[in-house]
Amino acid sequence: MAAQGRPNYDRMPVPQTAGTESRARRGDVRILVIEDVPDEAELTIHYVRKGGIACIWHRVDTEVALRDALRDFQPNVILSDFSLPQLSGLTALRIAREVAPNLPFIFVSGTIGEERAIEALRCGAVDYVLKGNLSRLAPAINRALDDAAARLESRRQESQIARLTRVLRMLSGINGAVLRIRDRSELFAEACRLAVTVGGYTTAIVMLPHPTTRAVQPVACSGVDPQATETLRAAVAESVSLGTSIVRRVLKTGAAFVCNDTTDPTATANIQEIMAQTGFRSIVALPLLIDKTAIGVLLLTAPEVGTLSDEELQMLREVAANLAFALQYLQKDNTVRFLSYFDAHTGLAKRSLFCERVGRLWARSGNRGMRSAVAVIDVEKLSVINDSFGRHTGDLLLQHVADRLRRHFHDTELLAQFGGGTFAVALDVTRDAADPIATLQGNLTAIFGRPFEIEGREIPVSVKSGLALYPEDGKEAAVLAQNAEAALRNARASGQPHLHFSLEQHSAVVARLALEHKLRTALERRQFELHYQLKVGIKSRRIDGVEALIRWRDPESGLVLPGAFLPLLESTGLIAEVGDWVLEQAARDCQHWQRLGLPAVRVAVNISPVQLRRPDFAERFLQVTKPWANAGCGLDIEITEGALFDDCAAEVKRLKLLRSVGVRIAIDDFGTGYSSLSRLSDLPIDTLKIDRMFISRLAEDGPGRTLVSTIISLAHAFGMSVVAEGVETEDQLGLLWEMGCDQAQGFLLGKPVSSDVLAELLEKGKGRLKFLAGRREGTGGDES
């Protein structure tokens, strides 16, 4: 029995039966018996145990003892008599409901009537058992405990759902902040605030490494109690230096740390000490992972035990993942912003920031007493340095150049790098300076006068520059920078080291760029076309061949002759693409004439040195001509003198290959270059074409006639045929006939014509050309 005022825990074992297995899993039931008669209490417990319930029990019979037992004994169920001398059953029920509202309360009485029983149930009792029928007691207790457990589980689930709902709202709020906020400190402060005000946590702290020292430190925190939050923040920051710190553990392992009860003996001493200072009972530390590496920690606390469920932890992992993503994005965004305004290697401003800075500076200063200028400076032969010493050395050189510019021009906001080896500087020149270029040259001599020492190697650097003055050459920084670049381009083209911007030169450059754009468009839209000029046998008066000459059908200007655009094609490299088109179009025209059954004719195509230097030139040429060409009909090649008189072994080899399959090779405009006549016999040449300059003076210039005659004789001696270009008069043709020249080409014999007109000529004359003496002379000879 249990004596009043002194707990007596009776642990007598009870034999297990099949009916008691599920109840035994609960362990010993703690029963508080409110009974003034000890024997009655003993009898009640006897029936409880007889019913298969293992229990620990305690008896009370006063209000004071009841309150003490509720606090200290913490029963699972109360069994109470209805009528006691010092305490009524309904009073005991009221006290139990007040102190422990969820505790099952069962009346065990022999005096309770039906009306009193109904009143008791209405006031909160779960059941009543008559002392005369105590065999009902054990089932009633089991039912009450099961109902209490069900209610407790229901409340736990409701609480968990409410908590998960709060965490879900917190997750949604933080996701919105990630999308909205671009400042790291502001983002983490908002995340901590949401964790406390929406998620229901008592404290939230975000910890990240310091960018310089790499020491982990709190960067944002929030809490219900500011003092407790600051205590926890300071304690966590101090604990990071300890090897047992949970923050260090999370950063090292990359795994979340969860403790649902900091008083648990398994919790680390470090956690117990921190939580003892703040009164928090649950803690979770989640890693912020970037590329599977923990770079920060999100720490949350709660005052209750057992707060964190698996479902809640999963949501918190998602919160941490989203914050880590935001951190990575902000880091990349900051890097992108830096790289969008500064060069990655030198750290100098790029064009847009430079122009913005210079514009601001000029607006503040007003340029009183000084004349402002923008100079653009280009390091020459940077590609040669990269090829000779490696790209790494080239990058180091640019960094050294930037360092010297910084030392010479102390205001680094006036410096920029426009890309590659091109730098810019805004400088002042006195208004009475006669030559601003001299001022610029003095600065550049001071900067680049000494070689640069790169990894033990001295590298001398030369530069070119362009200068634009305010306000003569532009009133905005961007315009001045653009004009200074135009002056730099002119300096490169002219070979001069430094040039001041010239509107006339700039207009020429702009026109050249516009023409280049139009030529690229012409190639894309097939605005080029081929015209053909006859090559006629001087003695036979037959058409021995034609030369393909390119024309441009400009929608704005009409038919444009090649002299207006060929130099630009060559300087821009477009000549290779246009040359490929000429080959293909000439081949298409030849095949068309073949299908019409016209007399066979060979077409000479001008090949640029750029095309000839291609390793696959011969293969490309044969691919275009081989399927249809024959001895009478095909494509031949014309090249300039300079194409074969340098180191040209590879080019000669390609021409020999083509010549071996019947392609004829001619040197165009012969006599205008520096050819060695003695070397002609070593080259795969079939024909020399005498330049029109010599033919135009043939009738009145004795030495000229001698030169032409000598060329014809030498060519025949080497087994070559000769074509005279630019034949315009009967006298010229007669002299060429006397000298034994083989073919003539020029306005006397016909101007260049389209493919369709040439087809008519071939059809009507069947390959023989008839022309009248005294025909009106042309003014341009043959056209190219």
Side-chain angles (χ1 to χ4, degrees):
M1 103 179 251
Q4 182 175 348
R6 180 175 61 85
N8 180 16
Y9 303 146
D10 188 345
R11 297 180 178 274
M12 291 178 59
V14 178
Q16 294 291 315
T17 66
T20 63
E21 181 179 353
S22 62
R23 294 188 293 277
R25 286 197 295 268
R26 280 199 286 254
D28 292 340
V29 178
R30 305 174 72 83
I31 300 177
L32 179 61
V33 180
I34 303 175
E35 174 64 63
D36 61 320
V37 180
D39 290 342
E40 294 288 339
E42 292 277 4
L43 180 63
T44 298
I45 294 302
H46 171 74
Y47 274 94
V48 170
R49 288 174 169 161
K50 185 178 178 181
I53 299 175
C55 65
I56 301 170
W57 65 286
H58 179 58
R59 183 181 68 82
V60 297
D61 57 7
T62 66
E63 179 177 343
V64 173
L66 172 60
R67 291 184 179 276
D68 290 344
L70 287 173
R71 182 187 66 244
D72 300 330
F73 181 61
Q74 295 186 352
N76 302 121
V77 64
I78 295 176
L79 304 179
S80 176
D81 196 358
F82 192 80
S83 299
L84 291 86
Q86 301 182 58
L87 179 66
S88 72
L90 290 178
T91 299
L93 175 60
R94 178 180 57 77
I95 294 171
R97 294 286 294 168
E98 176 187 316
V99 176
N102 298 317
L103 186 63
F105 195 105
I106 300 174
F107 278 111
V108 180
S109 176
T111 60
I112 192 172
E114 184 176 349
E115 290 184 3
R116 288 180 175 179
I118 293 172
E119 177 65 15
L121 293 175
R122 188 183 65 78
C123 291
V126 298
D127 205 345
Y128 68 93
V129 176
L130 297 176
K131 289 184 176 180
N133 190 15
L134 289 178
S135 59
R136 279 193 62 245
L137 185 56
I141 291 174
N142 283 327
R143 185 168 55 251
L145 290 175
D146 289 343
D147 290 346
R151 287 194 299 274
L152 180 62
E153 177 63 19
S154 177
R155 286 193 300 273
R156 188 196 68 78
Q157 290 181 0
E158 290 175 359
S159 175
Q160 185 66 16
I161 290 172
R163 183 164 191 82
L164 291 177
T165 300
R166 291 198 303 272
V167 175
L168 185 61
R169 288 172 54 209
M170 162 190 155
L171 171 61
S172 177
I174 290 177
N175 287 347
V178 167
L179 296 175
R180 185 179 71 254
I181 300 174
R182 288 292 173 267
D183 179 77
R184 190 186 77 167
S185 299
E186 183 182 348
L187 172 63
F188 288 130
E190 177 66 3
C192 290
R193 186 192 70 80
L194 290 169
V196 173
T197 59
V198 179
Y201 297 98
T202 48
T203 309
I205 301 175
V206 173
M207 304 190 70
L208 293 173
H210 189 277
T212 304
T213 65
R214 307 308 296 168
V216 180
Q217 59 184 11
V219 296
C221 64
S222 182
V224 175
D225 183 343
Q227 183 175 354
T229 300
E230 177 56 28
T231 300
L232 178 62
R233 188 201 65 78
V236 170
E238 184 179 355
S239 74
V240 170
S241 60
L242 303 176
T244 57
S245 161
I246 60 172
V247 173
R248 279 206 174 278
R249 183 190 306 182
V250 172
L251 289 172
K252 182 178 180 179
T253 64
F257 176 87
V258 180
C259 180
N260 265 322
D261 186 358
T262 55
T263 63
D264 191 318
T266 60
T268 68
N270 175 249
I271 297 174
Q272 289 176 325
E273 181 180 350
I274 293 174
M275 298 311 235
Q277 298 177 51
T278 56
F280 305 134
R281 296 291 299 277
S282 296
I283 184 170
V284 58
L286 299 131
L288 304 181
L289 298 171
I290 294 180
D291 297 330
K292 299 182 180 179
T293 300
I295 49 83
V297 174
L298 171 63
L299 190 143
L300 303 168
T301 66
E304 305 91 1
V305 172
T307 297
L308 297 161
S309 65
D310 290 341
E311 294 87 350
E312 183 173 345
L313 183 60
Q314 184 60 36
M315 288 187 186
L316 292 179
R317 289 184 197 276
E318 187 172 349
V319 169
N322 292 346
L323 289 176
F325 169 80
L327 181 60
Q328 183 180 28
Y329 171 80
L330 290 174
Q331 287 174 342
K332 290 182 178 179
D333 186 50
N334 289 338
T335 301
V336 169
R337 289 187 182 189
F338 176 84
L339 293 178
S340 66
Y341 289 107
F342 298 92
D343 182 83
H345 291 296
T346 64
L348 292 179
K350 291 186 177 180
R351 176 192 297 270
S352 60
L353 180 59
F354 170 75
C355 293
E356 181 182 331
R357 285 174 167 179
V358 171
R360 274 201 311 265
L361 182 65
W362 289 351
R364 289 198 303 266
S365 66
N367 300 309
R368 289 187 297 273
M370 301 295 290
R371 186 164 51 161
S372 297
V374 170
V376 177
I377 307 157
D378 187 60
V379 175
E380 291 193 286
K381 299 181 180 178
L382 180 61
S383 61
V384 175
I385 294 172
N386 287 332
D387 293 340
S388 301
F389 306 122
R391 184 63 181 263
H392 172 67
T393 299
D395 290 341
L396 287 177
L397 174 63
L398 295 181
Q399 292 173 14
H400 281 66
V401 169
D403 290 341
R404 283 198 189 177
L405 287 170
R406 288 188 183 96
R407 288 195 295 269
H408 189 81
F409 300 102
H410 300 297
D411 190 348
T412 57
E413 287 200 354
L414 300 180
L415 296 173
Q417 185 173 8
F418 283 1
T422 304
F423 297 84
V425 58
L427 65 161
D428 289 329
V429 293
T430 58
R431 292 192 180 276
D432 57 355
D435 186 6
I437 285 292
T439 303
L440 172 62
Q441 189 170 358
N443 283 293
L444 296 181
T445 300
I447 297 168
F448 297 99
R450 294 176 292 107
F452 289 82
E453 186 172 337
I454 309 295
E455 295 184 335
R457 181 185 292 113
E458 284 194 350
I459 301 178
V461 171
S462 61
V463 297
K464 290 190 183 298
S465 65
L467 182 75
L469 293 173
Y470 175 91
E472 298 96 309
D473 303 326
K475 296 183 179 180
E476 296 180 1
V479 174
L480 285 175
Q482 181 178 341
N483 290 343
E485 285 182 300
L488 173 63
R489 286 192 293 270
N490 292 335
R492 289 179 187 144
S494 65
Q496 298 186 59
H498 316 290
L499 275 183
H500 179 204
F501 173 74
S502 164
L503 183 60
E504 293 76 14
Q505 291 176 339
H506 178 61
S507 299
V509 170
V510 170
R512 178 184 172 90
L513 291 174
L515 179 58
E516 179 182 344
H517 175 71
K518 291 181 68 176
L519 289 173
R520 292 184 185 278
T521 303
L523 184 59
E524 293 173 1
R525 299 181 181 178
R526 299 187 175 276
Q527 294 173 358
F528 292 114
E529 55 187 61
L530 288 186
H531 285 202
Y532 296 92
Q533 188 169 36
L534 305 178
K535 289 193 292 185
V536 178
I538 293 177
K539 294 183 179 179
S540 67
R541 304 298 173 96
R542 295 187 63 86
I543 300 173
D544 289 341
V546 296
E547 180 182 0
L549 302 171
I550 190 169
R551 300 290 185 265
W552 172 24
R553 186 71 65 177
D554 182 10
E556 298 175 2
S557 306
L559 194 65
V560 182
L561 297 181
F565 60 85
L566 268 182
L568 188 56
L569 290 179
E570 291 170 350
S571 64
T572 59
L574 282 173
I575 190 68
E577 292 180 67
V578 174
D580 289 342
W581 175 85
V582 169
L583 273 178
E584 294 165 3
Q585 184 59 45
R588 284 191 288 268
D589 288 342
C590 285
Q591 292 175 79
H592 176 64
W593 299 330
Q594 277 184 334
R595 288 192 294 270
L596 294 177
L598 299 176
V601 64
R602 296 196 68 84
V603 177
V605 177
N606 290 279
I607 300 299
S608 70
V610 174
Q611 288 175 277
L612 188 58
R613 283 194 291 268
R614 284 177 173 173
D616 62 344
F617 169 71
E619 289 75 9
R620 285 171 177 251
F621 190 93
L622 293 175
Q623 185 178 7
V624 171
T625 61
K626 196 171 183 180
W628 55 271
N630 54 51
C633 183
L635 297 187
D636 295 327
I637 290 175
E638 291 189 8
I639 56 177
T640 59
E641 279 187 82
L644 291 182
F645 289 95
D646 293 322
D647 183 12
C648 58
E651 289 84 347
V652 169
K653 183 178 179 180
R654 294 180 196 114
L655 292 178
K656 285 182 176 179
L657 172 62
L658 294 174
R659 195 169 180 235
S660 68
V661 295
V663 178
R664 300 170 188 173
I665 314 297
I667 290 185
D668 198 11
D669 300 331
F670 185 78
T672 59
Y674 300 94
S675 306
S676 170
L677 293 176
S678 63
R679 196 177 173 217
L680 285 176
S681 60
D682 299 328
L683 298 174
I685 304 300
D686 297 288
T687 303
L688 294 183
K689 298 186 73 174
I690 303 175
D691 186 76
R692 73 190 66 188
M693 175 181 63
F694 302 109
I695 304 302
S696 65
R697 300 198 302 262
L698 198 58
E700 60 274 358
D701 186 358
R705 284 197 299 273
T706 302
L707 179 60
V708 172
S709 178
T710 301
I711 292 174
I712 293 172
S713 298
L714 284 172
H716 287 165
F718 291 139
M720 302 176 189
S721 62
V722 181
V723 178
E725 298 182 289
V727 178
E728 299 180 4
T729 69
E730 291 278 5
D731 291 340
Q732 293 169 351
L733 187 63
L735 288 171
L736 291 168
W737 183 86
E738 293 174 1
M739 295 176 184
C741 186
D742 302 292
Q743 296 174 359
Q745 181 179 348
F747 280 0
L748 177 66
L749 307 171
K751 291 185 177 183
V753 294
S754 67
S755 171
D756 293 337
V757 173
L758 179 61
E760 293 177 7
L761 288 174
L762 293 173
E763 173 65 27
K764 292 177 181 177
K766 296 301 181 184
R768 183 172 179 82
L769 181 66
K770 299 177 182 179
F771 56 93
L772 300 174
R775 174 177 175 173
R776 184 173 61 87
E777 296 176 4
T779 57
D782 64 318
E783 296 183 29
S784 56

